[in-house]
Amino acid sequence: TRQSPHVVRKGRRRMLVRVELENREENAYNASLWLHLPGNLHFSSLVLQVQNLGCYAVQNVTLHVALPALGHGRAPILSVTRVLAENASCVLQPPEEGTEALPVPPEHLQHLHRLDCSNSLCQELRCRLAGLERGGGASIQLLRALHEGFFRGVKFRSLKIVSGVWLSVAGGVLVLEEGAQRREV
């Protein structure tokens, strides 16, 4: 078909693929294109929703998401491949140089149960939410790819990759319940 990008599905998993096939010979009939994906390619999706349950409209709210991105030796762990935002505009910031986090070497992962911004270099996604009317909301979906190379040869039973999420407001006051101020996902 001429649809681009193509959506490849297998069960509940799906992936966007952009393919181009060029005819370099005259009369090339029955052309075929085989797409092979490595078995160690893993994807994850994170959906964040913000809703104004208060009595008044809210302005100047920013959603912040800290995402583990680089490990020891600046080896990639997770990459954000796409941000889908509804009622928000988002900017992805690379990990800051000189951060205080000391990335753990892969051989020490067997002694950890979680990978977060205290033991990896994180990038920050900042989404400025459009004015949220009473009952209004915003939705942000992150599509991410897990880099197998970082975990190759490492032995661990399970490892949670934990992102931090928080809200801020410019030039105003934002009152949230104590448990809603900062979350880990």
Side-chain angles (χ1 to χ4, degrees):
T1 68
R2 294 189 185 277
Q3 180 186 3
S4 182
H6 300 282
V7 178
V8 178
R9 297 176 194 259
K10 181 176 182 183
R12 291 179 43 194
R13 297 180 186 179
R14 60 181 187 206
M15 182 172 78
L16 293 176
V17 178
R18 182 164 285 139
V19 177
E20 185 174 323
L21 180 62
E22 184 178 329
N23 181 4
R24 293 184 179 253
E25 296 292 325
E26 195 173 319
N27 298 326
Y29 295 103
N30 296 324
S32 296
L33 181 67
W34 290 92
L35 180 64
H36 297 278
L37 300 175
N40 62 5
L41 186 62
H42 302 282
F43 295 94
S44 72
S45 178
L46 177 63
V47 178
L48 304 167
Q49 294 182 330
V50 178
Q51 187 173 9
N52 180 4
L53 299 175
C55 296
Y56 304 100
V58 179
Q59 302 292 324
N60 302 322
V61 176
T62 302
L63 173 72
H64 302 264
V65 185
L67 303 153
L70 302 175
H72 186 72
R74 299 190 67 83
I77 300 169
L78 272 173
S79 294
V80 174
T81 58
R82 192 166 186 187
V83 177
L84 305 170
E86 180 183 310
N87 204 21
S89 60
C90 300
V91 175
L92 188 62
Q93 302 289 327
E96 293 182 14
E97 295 291 331
T99 183
E100 294 183 21
L102 183 60
V104 64
E107 59 271 13
H108 293 149
L109 287 176
Q110 63 187 353
H111 305 296
L112 297 177
H113 69 281
R114 63 187 273 156
L115 199 59
D116 57 26
C117 294
S118 71
N119 54 20
S120 67
L121 297 176
C122 285
Q123 58 187 158
E124 185 178 331
L125 178 72
R126 293 183 191 142
C127 295
R128 184 167 170 80
L129 308 181
L132 296 177
E133 296 298 324
R134 180 179 181 210
S139 175
I140 293 98
Q141 182 177 10
L142 302 176
L143 303 177
R144 304 179 295 175
L146 182 66
H147 294 273
E148 179 75 17
F150 180 78
F151 299 98
R152 189 173 293 127
V154 176
K155 295 180 181 176
F156 58 88
R157 293 184 97 171
S158 69
L159 182 68
K160 288 183 183 179
I161 300 176
V162 181
S163 300
V165 180
W166 66 98
L167 292 171
S168 68
V169 65
V173 177
L174 181 65
V175 179
L176 299 171
E177 295 178 19
E178 188 173 324
Q181 292 176 6
R182 192 171 186 98
R183 294 269 171 120
E184 292 182 341
V185 291

